[in-house]
Amino acid sequence: MAEQNNAIYLDYHSTTPVDARVVDAMLPYLRENFGNPASRSHAFGWTAKAAVDLAREQVAQLLGAQPREVVFTSGATESDNLALAGVAARYRHSGTHIITSQIEHKAVLDPASALEKRGFQVTRLPVGADGIVDPEAVREAIRPDTILCSIMMANNEVGTIQPVAHIGRICKEMGVFFHCDAAQAMGRVPVSVKDAAIDLLSLSAHKMYGPKGIGALYIRRGRPWLRLEPLILGGGHESGLRSGTLPVHQIVGMGVAASLAGEELALGHELERQQRLRDRLLEEITNGLDKVHVNGSMEHRLVNNLNISFDFVDAEALMLAMPQLAVSSGSACTSATMEPSHVLMAMGYSRERAASSIRFGLGRFTTESDISRAVELVVGCVPRLRELSPFYRPAP
Ligand SMILES: Cc1ncc(COP(=O)(O)O)c(C=O)c1O
């Protein structure tokens, strides 16, 4: 095991460190301000309620939403489940068809499969080698009994940014609810739920320098009415949509993380810095190695993402060869299964290419020296592994 302190962290899609400003804001809500926001009869409760109200405003502001449209959950997995199962249960009488894509996170794909077992039909749209869903394919897939379309804003493996505003317009025009998993996009892509005609949007705090175990689901209010059946009952918190005592410190952390993300987006230079570092990483790897392929569109991609395949190299072996570099092969959320990435397979790549792919995720605390060290490790290890491959012939 490598010493974590000396390691280079380039796995920001898996999770991000909690920003020190977020930690500082959270601490008083673990110490003196420990009240329950549902306690209406004393100051402890009022203080907690005021903190939750502020955080709800901060999250809403990042989305261009109203605070009452934000429901706190335990993370994007729960938000995705609530969106899919909640709409399905409520609108079963209007239709039983759901559209999604083959490159969604398992937090969408698994609830969709569970609904299929309960009599719903699911269309999983394919993508091209660029990793992008074609909005016209959404239009063509819509049937009279379609109730929901769920397409992510940015993919967690290849970082491709989906044309969600276009998809949102089509769904609105055709009277289908539109859910968008924005866990990877928040703070990296400007989002306006109103402009993109998004009805439901999932968020996770730990992907944007907030704590783990807290997320939110944006649920549009107003006409045409959208109602969800809750997954968790008991107490009627969060307008009855998500019962359970609110984790105030987590919520405060998410609020501050959202407001920092909004500032970063507005200023722009931090995201430009990450993009420069990401482009430098790609350039120096491709200068140092042949037979390297970028997976997915470079044009419509999160500024902090790079996903590349190294011919004749097994990604797991490469990661073992450089334990000082924290990166991921496929998706950290599904790598336990050791299946080739469903995203890369959906993009039409071979099993070999998928098995030789590494995802680099940069972030707020990535430095120039992290990139230099990462390049040195990758460019040093790949040729050694290739020499072990019976199929590899070095370029003459
Ligand atoms: C796109 C996407 N959706 C959902 C999730 C699940 O988020 P959480 O860890 O908050 O449950 C992730 C996490 O990897 C993700 O990347």
Side-chain angles (χ1 to χ4, degrees):
M1 271 292 159
E3 264 289 317
Q4 185 181 315
N5 288 342
N6 194 29
I8 309 151
Y9 189 76
L10 290 184
D11 202 11
Y12 276 78
H13 299 294
S14 171
T15 194
T16 60
V18 184
D19 192 293
R21 293 164 288 183
V22 171
V23 176
D24 289 345
M26 289 172 70
L27 286 175
Y29 294 90
L30 283 161
R31 293 197 170 117
E32 58 277 15
N33 300 335
F34 57 83
N36 183 336
S39 301
R40 290 167 187 265
S41 53
H42 53 70
F44 294 86
W46 304 331
T47 304
K49 167 89 168 47
V52 170
D53 288 348
L54 172 61
R56 206 184 296 282
E57 266 170 45
Q58 289 166 321
V59 172
Q61 194 171 0
L62 184 62
L63 306 175
Q66 298 297 320
R68 64 197 183 101
E69 296 176 308
V70 173
V71 166
F72 288 111
T73 64
S74 64
T77 301
E78 185 185 329
S79 299
D80 289 345
N81 274 267
L82 177 56
L84 269 78
V87 167
R90 194 73 185 220
Y91 293 92
R92 189 172 198 137
H93 62 275
S94 323
T96 53
H97 180 232
I98 292 169
I99 298 170
T100 184
S101 85
Q102 293 176 6
I103 62 163
E104 296 303 305
H105 192 273
K106 296 283 179 184
V108 165
L109 291 176
D110 287 354
S113 300
L115 288 170
E116 225 167 15
K117 290 198 188 97
R118 288 171 31 208
F120 286 81
Q121 298 90 51
V122 179
T123 300
R124 298 170 183 83
L125 295 173
V127 292
D130 59 0
I132 295 183
V133 176
D134 175 5
E136 289 310 313
V138 172
R139 188 194 299 280
E140 280 160 29
I142 293 176
R143 316 190 310 208
D145 61 343
T146 308
I147 51 171
L148 178 71
C149 171
S150 177
I151 304 288
M152 69 203 323
M153 191 165 292
N155 182 267
N156 48 299
E157 293 190 35
V158 290
T160 48
I161 299 172
Q162 306 302 322
V164 292
H166 192 167
I167 295 171
R169 267 200 311 279
I170 291 173
C171 289
K172 189 172 177 182
E173 198 183 301
M174 317 254 314
V176 170
F177 292 128
F178 179 38
H179 167 246
C180 184
D181 177 341
Q184 294 290 342
M186 284 330 283
R188 302 189 174 97
V189 179
V191 174
S192 159
V193 284
K194 306 291 174 207
D195 291 351
I198 293 169
D199 296 301
L200 298 148
L201 179 135
S202 301
L203 287 180
S204 175
H206 76 98
K207 308 285 186 187
M208 51 175 190
Y209 312 98
K212 294 172 187 55
I214 185 76
L217 181 66
Y218 156 80
I219 307 173
R220 181 184 52 73
R221 297 272 188 135
R223 289 176 194 275
W225 300 114
L226 164 56
R227 300 262 183 264
L228 297 189
E229 210 57 58
L231 296 177
I232 300 175
L233 303 174
H237 307 75
E238 298 294 271
S239 315
L241 284 163
R242 208 288 188 171
S243 288
T245 301
L246 293 177
V248 180
H249 59 296
Q250 307 280 81
I251 290 173
V252 166
M254 181 165 188
V256 174
S259 117
L260 294 172
E263 275 170 32
E264 208 163 80
L265 261 174
L267 295 172
H269 55 74
E270 170 52 23
L271 296 174
E272 282 166 23
R273 187 189 74 90
Q274 287 177 28
Q275 180 158 12
R276 264 198 315 277
L277 289 178
R278 189 273 312 271
D279 292 346
R280 198 191 126 207
L281 177 65
L282 175 61
E283 192 184 320
E284 294 186 11
I285 288 178
T286 45
N287 284 345
L289 296 169
D290 62 350
K291 298 186 169 31
V292 171
H293 313 279
V294 172
N295 297 319
S297 162
M298 264 323 266
E299 190 189 343
H300 302 287
R301 180 184 288 257
L302 293 173
V303 293
N304 68 327
N305 174 281
L306 186 61
N307 188 307
I308 43 185
S309 294
F310 302 90
D311 284 357
F312 309 107
V313 172
D314 177 66
E316 299 298 320
L318 180 56
M319 291 195 303
L320 281 175
M322 36 182 212
Q324 318 86 308
L325 181 58
V327 287
S328 142
S329 65
S331 154
C333 311
T334 52
S335 58
T337 61
M338 298 301 274
E339 282 289 311
S341 143
H342 71 279
V343 174
L344 296 175
M345 297 305 283
M347 288 162 69
Y349 298 137
S350 64
R351 286 178 88 89
E352 288 73 27
R353 179 153 170 178
S356 70
S357 80
I358 295 277
R359 174 184 74 178
F360 299 87
L362 286 68
R364 194 177 281 168
F365 307 107
T366 305
T367 63
E368 293 280 354
S369 128
D370 289 337
I371 299 301
S372 306
R373 288 175 63 209
V375 169
E376 203 176 303
L377 283 165
V378 172
V379 172
C381 288
V382 166
R384 279 199 278 123
L385 290 169
R386 281 181 175 164
E387 264 156 37
L388 300 174
S389 162
F391 305 109
Y392 180 62
R393 296 275 170 279

mmCIF file of all heavy atoms in Angstrom, residues 83 86-87 90-91 148 177-178 198-200 218-228:
data_model
loop_
_atom_site.group_PDB
_atom_site.id
_atom_site.type_symbol
_atom_site.label_atom_id
_atom_site.label_comp_id
_atom_site.label_asym_id
_atom_site.label_seq_id
_atom_site.Cartn_x
_atom_site.Cartn_y
_atom_site.Cartn_z
ATOM 1 N N ALA A 83 -36.498 10.013 -8.077
ATOM 2 C CA ALA A 83 -37.033 10.567 -9.329
ATOM 3 C C ALA A 83 -37.705 9.463 -10.152
ATOM 4 O O ALA A 83 -38.854 9.606 -10.581
ATOM 5 C CB ALA A 83 -35.909 11.225 -10.128
ATOM 6 N N GLY A 86 -40.400 7.462 -7.968
ATOM 7 C CA GLY A 86 -41.446 8.398 -7.531
ATOM 8 C C GLY A 86 -42.375 8.779 -8.672
ATOM 9 O O GLY A 86 -43.599 8.842 -8.499
ATOM 10 N N VAL A 87 -41.806 9.031 -9.855
ATOM 11 C CA VAL A 87 -42.645 9.367 -11.017
ATOM 12 C C VAL A 87 -43.412 8.118 -11.464
ATOM 13 O O VAL A 87 -44.618 8.175 -11.753
ATOM 14 C CB VAL A 87 -41.786 9.915 -12.190
ATOM 15 C CG1 VAL A 87 -42.588 9.959 -13.483
ATOM 16 C CG2 VAL A 87 -41.263 11.302 -11.853
ATOM 17 N N ARG A 90 -46.380 7.340 -9.294
ATOM 18 C CA ARG A 90 -47.438 8.343 -9.348
ATOM 19 C C ARG A 90 -48.169 8.374 -10.699
ATOM 20 O O ARG A 90 -49.338 8.706 -10.780
ATOM 21 C CB ARG A 90 -46.809 9.706 -9.065
ATOM 22 C CG ARG A 90 -47.785 10.789 -8.758
ATOM 23 C CD ARG A 90 -48.353 10.585 -7.369
ATOM 24 N NE ARG A 90 -49.381 11.554 -7.105
ATOM 25 C CZ ARG A 90 -49.547 12.170 -5.936
ATOM 26 N NH1 ARG A 90 -48.753 11.911 -4.937
ATOM 27 N NH2 ARG A 90 -50.522 13.033 -5.782
ATOM 28 N N TYR A 91 -47.430 8.089 -11.769
ATOM 29 C CA TYR A 91 -48.015 8.270 -13.112
ATOM 30 C C TYR A 91 -48.270 6.960 -13.838
ATOM 31 O O TYR A 91 -48.502 6.965 -15.049
ATOM 32 C CB TYR A 91 -47.120 9.201 -13.950
ATOM 33 C CG TYR A 91 -47.126 10.605 -13.386
ATOM 34 C CD1 TYR A 91 -46.161 10.996 -12.468
ATOM 35 C CD2 TYR A 91 -48.140 11.495 -13.718
ATOM 36 C CE1 TYR A 91 -46.194 12.268 -11.906
ATOM 37 C CE2 TYR A 91 -48.184 12.770 -13.159
ATOM 38 C CZ TYR A 91 -47.204 13.148 -12.250
ATOM 39 O OH TYR A 91 -47.254 14.395 -11.687
ATOM 40 N N LEU A 148 -41.519 9.413 -18.564
ATOM 41 C CA LEU A 148 -40.289 10.020 -18.031
ATOM 42 C C LEU A 148 -39.113 9.734 -18.945
ATOM 43 O O LEU A 148 -39.003 8.634 -19.500
ATOM 44 C CB LEU A 148 -40.000 9.426 -16.641
ATOM 45 C CG LEU A 148 -38.735 9.893 -15.930
ATOM 46 C CD1 LEU A 148 -38.869 11.345 -15.470
ATOM 47 C CD2 LEU A 148 -38.434 9.008 -14.707
ATOM 48 N N PHE A 177 -41.991 14.032 -18.625
ATOM 49 C CA PHE A 177 -41.145 14.605 -17.572
ATOM 50 C C PHE A 177 -39.680 14.301 -17.870
ATOM 51 O O PHE A 177 -39.346 13.217 -18.351
ATOM 52 C CB PHE A 177 -41.523 14.042 -16.195
ATOM 53 C CG PHE A 177 -42.881 14.495 -15.730
ATOM 54 C CD1 PHE A 177 -43.826 13.571 -15.296
ATOM 55 C CD2 PHE A 177 -43.217 15.848 -15.732
ATOM 56 C CE1 PHE A 177 -45.079 13.980 -14.873
ATOM 57 C CE2 PHE A 177 -44.469 16.271 -15.305
ATOM 58 C CZ PHE A 177 -45.410 15.337 -14.879
ATOM 59 N N PHE A 178 -38.817 15.283 -17.550
ATOM 60 C CA PHE A 178 -37.388 15.129 -17.837
ATOM 61 C C PHE A 178 -36.582 15.167 -16.536
ATOM 62 O O PHE A 178 -36.602 16.158 -15.810
ATOM 63 C CB PHE A 178 -36.936 16.245 -18.793
ATOM 64 C CG PHE A 178 -35.462 16.191 -19.127
ATOM 65 C CD1 PHE A 178 -34.798 14.978 -19.308
ATOM 66 C CD2 PHE A 178 -34.731 17.363 -19.281
ATOM 67 C CE1 PHE A 178 -33.443 14.926 -19.620
ATOM 68 C CE2 PHE A 178 -33.378 17.328 -19.604
ATOM 69 C CZ PHE A 178 -32.734 16.107 -19.760
ATOM 70 N N ILE A 198 -35.778 21.399 -17.241
ATOM 71 C CA ILE A 198 -35.574 20.178 -16.449
ATOM 72 C C ILE A 198 -36.641 20.124 -15.349
ATOM 73 O O ILE A 198 -36.880 21.119 -14.650
ATOM 74 C CB ILE A 198 -34.146 20.181 -15.839
ATOM 75 C CG1 ILE A 198 -33.112 20.065 -16.965
ATOM 76 C CG2 ILE A 198 -33.978 19.076 -14.809
ATOM 77 C CD1 ILE A 198 -31.686 20.314 -16.536
ATOM 78 N N ASP A 199 -37.280 18.975 -15.200
ATOM 79 C CA ASP A 199 -38.325 18.822 -14.182
ATOM 80 C C ASP A 199 -37.759 18.304 -12.872
ATOM 81 O O ASP A 199 -38.260 18.620 -11.799
ATOM 82 C CB ASP A 199 -39.393 17.845 -14.681
ATOM 83 C CG ASP A 199 -40.113 18.375 -15.913
ATOM 84 O OD1 ASP A 199 -40.706 19.463 -15.811
ATOM 85 O OD2 ASP A 199 -40.056 17.717 -16.964
ATOM 86 N N LEU A 200 -36.740 17.434 -12.995
ATOM 87 C CA LEU A 200 -36.147 16.797 -11.806
ATOM 88 C C LEU A 200 -34.635 16.749 -12.020
ATOM 89 O O LEU A 200 -34.186 16.389 -13.121
ATOM 90 C CB LEU A 200 -36.662 15.352 -11.676
ATOM 91 C CG LEU A 200 -38.153 15.182 -11.476
ATOM 92 C CD1 LEU A 200 -38.635 13.885 -12.129
ATOM 93 C CD2 LEU A 200 -38.480 15.165 -9.992
ATOM 94 N N TYR A 218 -33.912 18.310 -7.132
ATOM 95 C CA TYR A 218 -34.720 19.460 -7.527
ATOM 96 C C TYR A 218 -36.011 18.899 -8.112
ATOM 97 O O TYR A 218 -35.972 17.982 -8.952
ATOM 98 C CB TYR A 218 -33.970 20.290 -8.578
ATOM 99 C CG TYR A 218 -34.890 21.125 -9.448
ATOM 100 C CD1 TYR A 218 -35.398 22.340 -9.003
ATOM 101 C CD2 TYR A 218 -35.270 20.678 -10.714
ATOM 102 C CE1 TYR A 218 -36.265 23.088 -9.795
ATOM 103 C CE2 TYR A 218 -36.139 21.420 -11.513
ATOM 104 C CZ TYR A 218 -36.630 22.618 -11.043
ATOM 105 O OH TYR A 218 -37.496 23.350 -11.823
ATOM 106 N N ILE A 219 -37.133 19.419 -7.652
ATOM 107 C CA ILE A 219 -38.430 18.990 -8.196
ATOM 108 C C ILE A 219 -39.188 20.261 -8.601
ATOM 109 O O ILE A 219 -39.533 21.084 -7.744
ATOM 110 C CB ILE A 219 -39.256 18.205 -7.148
ATOM 111 C CG1 ILE A 219 -38.422 17.052 -6.572
ATOM 112 C CG2 ILE A 219 -40.563 17.691 -7.761
ATOM 113 C CD1 ILE A 219 -39.081 16.323 -5.416
ATOM 114 N N ARG A 220 -39.409 20.416 -9.877
ATOM 115 C CA ARG A 220 -40.076 21.626 -10.363
ATOM 116 C C ARG A 220 -41.456 21.779 -9.741
ATOM 117 O O ARG A 220 -42.199 20.805 -9.614
ATOM 118 C CB ARG A 220 -40.206 21.555 -11.904
ATOM 119 C CG ARG A 220 -40.864 22.779 -12.521
ATOM 120 C CD ARG A 220 -41.058 22.639 -14.025
ATOM 121 N NE ARG A 220 -41.736 21.422 -14.423
ATOM 122 C CZ ARG A 220 -43.050 21.194 -14.245
ATOM 123 N NH1 ARG A 220 -43.808 22.090 -13.649
ATOM 124 N NH2 ARG A 220 -43.574 20.057 -14.643
ATOM 125 N N ARG A 221 -41.761 22.998 -9.346
ATOM 126 C CA ARG A 221 -43.116 23.297 -8.873
ATOM 127 C C ARG A 221 -43.858 24.034 -9.979
ATOM 128 O O ARG A 221 -43.226 24.591 -10.873
ATOM 129 C CB ARG A 221 -43.050 24.221 -7.653
ATOM 130 C CG ARG A 221 -42.363 23.611 -6.455
ATOM 131 C CD ARG A 221 -43.355 22.847 -5.613
ATOM 132 N NE ARG A 221 -42.718 22.435 -4.375
ATOM 133 C CZ ARG A 221 -43.277 22.556 -3.184
ATOM 134 N NH1 ARG A 221 -44.462 23.101 -3.047
ATOM 135 N NH2 ARG A 221 -42.654 22.134 -2.111
ATOM 136 N N GLY A 222 -45.140 24.092 -9.879
ATOM 137 C CA GLY A 222 -45.939 24.853 -10.850
ATOM 138 C C GLY A 222 -46.461 23.970 -11.960
ATOM 139 O O GLY A 222 -46.235 22.763 -11.992
ATOM 140 N N ARG A 223 -47.152 24.624 -12.891
ATOM 141 C CA ARG A 223 -47.786 23.867 -13.976
ATOM 142 C C ARG A 223 -46.825 23.551 -15.101
ATOM 143 O O ARG A 223 -45.962 24.383 -15.381
ATOM 144 C CB ARG A 223 -48.960 24.693 -14.544
ATOM 145 C CG ARG A 223 -50.101 24.770 -13.591
ATOM 146 C CD ARG A 223 -51.186 25.686 -14.158
ATOM 147 N NE ARG A 223 -52.128 26.026 -13.120
ATOM 148 C CZ ARG A 223 -53.178 25.254 -12.780
ATOM 149 N NH1 ARG A 223 -53.397 24.133 -13.416
ATOM 150 N NH2 ARG A 223 -53.984 25.630 -11.826
ATOM 151 N N PRO A 224 -46.971 22.442 -15.806
ATOM 152 C CA PRO A 224 -47.857 21.331 -15.485
ATOM 153 C C PRO A 224 -47.386 20.613 -14.229
ATOM 154 O O PRO A 224 -46.202 20.425 -14.018
ATOM 155 C CB PRO A 224 -47.727 20.414 -16.718
ATOM 156 C CG PRO A 224 -46.389 20.738 -17.300
ATOM 157 C CD PRO A 224 -46.137 22.173 -16.998
ATOM 158 N N TRP A 225 -48.333 20.247 -13.370
ATOM 159 C CA TRP A 225 -48.008 19.719 -12.053
ATOM 160 C C TRP A 225 -47.187 18.441 -12.132
ATOM 161 O O TRP A 225 -47.411 17.586 -12.991
ATOM 162 C CB TRP A 225 -49.292 19.438 -11.247
ATOM 163 C CG TRP A 225 -50.109 20.672 -11.045
ATOM 164 C CD1 TRP A 225 -51.356 20.917 -11.555
ATOM 165 C CD2 TRP A 225 -49.731 21.850 -10.327
ATOM 166 N NE1 TRP A 225 -51.773 22.166 -11.191
ATOM 167 C CE2 TRP A 225 -50.805 22.769 -10.437
ATOM 168 C CE3 TRP A 225 -48.602 22.226 -9.598
ATOM 169 C CZ2 TRP A 225 -50.774 24.035 -9.853
ATOM 170 C CZ3 TRP A 225 -48.568 23.479 -9.015
ATOM 171 C CH2 TRP A 225 -49.639 24.368 -9.145
ATOM 172 N N LEU A 226 -46.255 18.348 -11.232
ATOM 173 C CA LEU A 226 -45.407 17.157 -11.136
ATOM 174 C C LEU A 226 -45.439 16.695 -9.686
ATOM 175 O O LEU A 226 -45.095 17.456 -8.777
ATOM 176 C CB LEU A 226 -43.973 17.524 -11.552
ATOM 177 C CG LEU A 226 -42.833 16.575 -11.193
ATOM 178 C CD1 LEU A 226 -43.088 15.180 -11.728
ATOM 179 C CD2 LEU A 226 -41.513 17.100 -11.764
ATOM 180 N N ARG A 227 -45.900 15.501 -9.483
ATOM 181 C CA ARG A 227 -45.999 14.962 -8.116
ATOM 182 C C ARG A 227 -45.219 13.657 -8.044
ATOM 183 O O ARG A 227 -45.224 12.877 -8.996
ATOM 184 C CB ARG A 227 -47.462 14.661 -7.782
ATOM 185 C CG ARG A 227 -48.369 15.863 -7.857
ATOM 186 C CD ARG A 227 -48.587 16.440 -6.466
ATOM 187 N NE ARG A 227 -49.510 17.556 -6.532
ATOM 188 C CZ ARG A 227 -49.124 18.836 -6.611
ATOM 189 N NH1 ARG A 227 -47.854 19.161 -6.657
ATOM 190 N NH2 ARG A 227 -50.019 19.799 -6.662
ATOM 191 N N LEU A 228 -44.581 13.428 -6.919
ATOM 192 C CA LEU A 228 -43.821 12.192 -6.747
ATOM 193 C C LEU A 228 -44.375 11.392 -5.587
ATOM 194 O O LEU A 228 -44.835 11.965 -4.600
ATOM 195 C CB LEU A 228 -42.352 12.486 -6.397
ATOM 196 C CG LEU A 228 -41.482 13.218 -7.396
ATOM 197 C CD1 LEU A 228 -40.030 13.194 -6.923
ATOM 198 C CD2 LEU A 228 -41.583 12.569 -8.753
#
